[in-house]
Amino acid sequence: MASHDVVVLFFTGHGSRMDDTTCLVDSVGSHVSVRKLQAVFAEAVEERQLRDVSFVLILDCGQTTSSGVADPSDDRDDLNVCVADASECSWFVGYATSPGTKAFSGDAGELTLFTSSILRHVATRASIEAVFRAVHHEVLSATNGLMRPRLEARLNRPLVLVDRGGAPGAGAGVVRG
């Protein structure tokens, strides 16, 4: 990672909502909060004395409500302060759906509606905010309002995600012109 980089984490799988934050559930059932991911990222940027680094999280998972906290050893306030004080970091978190709701997985072996929509709209090379607005409207319409994608952003500059080449994965809904 270097100054002015954009780091993208695209997660598809199980998620939950605990302690007022979205958590990703790993393959052994452990929960990792978005807040923790942001704090670890911010600490790495600070330790390396980097400038203007962006962290983009795209989360294709539900946010069913669970009790408890993601990691009892984490201090929620410390994590929040770490994230809030990260002046050299900017954030974009795009969620497949709103808190307390499930994400639809689609047919076995196929990409989800959310992932297909993200891939289709990223190909337009519009800003991440414009891409996500288009994804929001497409998914909301296709699910009759059952899935409500949302975003949280604190960006220091416009971001455009671009394809660096190579063939798209099987089932990728890439628009060709």
Side-chain angles (χ1 to χ4, degrees), residues 16-19 31 64-70:
S16 64
R17 187 89 180 159
M18 300 173 81
D19 194 29
H31 292 76
T64 54
T65 305
S66 300
S67 61
V69 294

Side-chain angles (χ1 to χ4, degrees), residues 25 95 140 154:
V25 182
Y95 301 90
L140 190 66
R154 187 186 88 188

